[in-house]
Amino acid sequence: MPRPSQVDQQRKKLLPIVCQAFGELGYRRTTTAELAQRCGVRENILYRLWPDKKAMFLAALDDLFEYRAEMWGEILADQPSAEQTLERLVAYEAQHQGEFGFYRVVFTALAETDDAEIRSALIRMYRRFHQLVCRQVASGHEPDGEHAGLPADAAAWGLLGLATVSNIIRELGLLRPRQREQMFASVAKHLVQGTGL
């Protein structure tokens, strides 16, 4: 297996900072000078890693998926059964949904869907999230059980929608954190098990 290059390692190191900047400032207000300052490097270093600001933004979108998938892998590694894995994932997301603010990068991308590259990257990211969530739902799902809930495919889209709504609630302060957590857990349980509402 080839070793990661220094360029790849530096990109990986800087991407969380790039994500945070795009999340705070949006795509249009974020400048490469601002990104360089936050990353603690000169602009020409950023241009050695990515050809332009749009490439940095697209990399940030891709990194959001990779970060989340890696986090879920760590959370779920020790779960003895598929059902417990799904319960653990829902409980974690209910408590931690949106805490890093990376959803703001997604919201920023949604405002830029007139750009074909950003639109394609966003579609790819959502499809990857859907596949990941669908696998988790399907693994903890008994399709013929008493509380089978929605088919895994539909439940996964429902959970992605729930995460989006939960992030809007967080952003606008529509519910207190504990209320938002309870809402997320209850609706997620309903989506995957057919109970809770």
Side-chain angles (χ1 to χ4, degrees):
M1 187 173 208
R3 292 185 347 194
S5 72
Q6 287 183 336
V7 169
D8 290 340
Q9 290 174 340
Q10 194 165 17
R11 282 182 187 140
K12 187 173 178 73
K13 176 184 168 188
L14 297 180
L15 271 171
I17 300 166
V18 170
C19 283
Q20 185 175 13
F22 280 122
E24 289 175 14
L25 301 174
Y27 178 69
R28 294 177 193 224
R29 287 187 7 220
T30 301
T31 64
T32 54
E34 176 71 23
L35 291 170
Q37 180 185 6
R38 288 181 182 220
C39 290
V41 299
R42 294 185 316 274
E43 277 185 80
N44 68 329
I45 298 296
L46 291 180
Y47 286 120
R48 288 182 193 164
L49 300 173
W50 297 282
D52 55 29
K53 182 175 92 166
K54 187 190 295 186
M56 294 175 208
F57 186 69
L58 296 175
L61 272 176
D62 190 52
D63 191 58
L64 292 177
F65 172 80
E66 296 299 333
Y67 173 81
R68 206 59 169 182
E70 187 177 305
M71 181 183 299
W72 287 356
E74 290 172 11
I75 292 165
L76 304 177
D78 299 333
Q79 300 305 309
S81 75
E83 186 176 335
Q84 288 173 323
T85 295
L86 186 57
E87 288 174 12
R88 170 81 175 167
L89 182 61
V90 167
Y92 177 84
E93 286 300 314
Q95 188 173 12
H96 299 284
Q97 181 65 41
E99 71 183 355
F100 298 113
F102 290 156
Y103 62 88
R104 290 179 174 183
V105 178
V106 176
F107 289 174
T108 294
L110 287 167
E112 301 294 334
T113 57
D114 56 331
D115 181 293
E117 289 177 276
I118 293 175
R119 180 182 177 86
S120 292
L122 196 56
I123 289 169
R124 217 173 21 257
M125 185 206 68
Y126 269 111
R127 286 188 175 147
R128 291 174 77 193
F129 267 121
H130 177 260
Q131 290 170 354
L132 180 64
V133 173
C134 193
R135 280 194 303 270
Q136 293 301 324
V137 171
S139 71
H141 207 232
E142 295 179 30
D144 299 326
E146 181 181 340
H147 300 295
L150 295 172
D153 181 63
W157 282 121
L159 288 168
L160 289 174
L162 175 60
T164 301
V165 168
S166 181
N167 287 327
I168 291 169
I169 290 169
R170 172 187 283 274
E171 189 68 21
L172 299 178
L174 296 171
L175 294 174
R176 291 189 303 277
R178 183 72 179 132
Q179 291 173 311
R180 190 181 67 249
E181 181 181 333
Q182 290 171 336
M183 179 276 301
F184 188 98
S186 176
V187 175
K189 183 177 179 181
H190 177 71
L191 286 169
V192 297
Q193 297 178 352
T195 61
L197 288 181

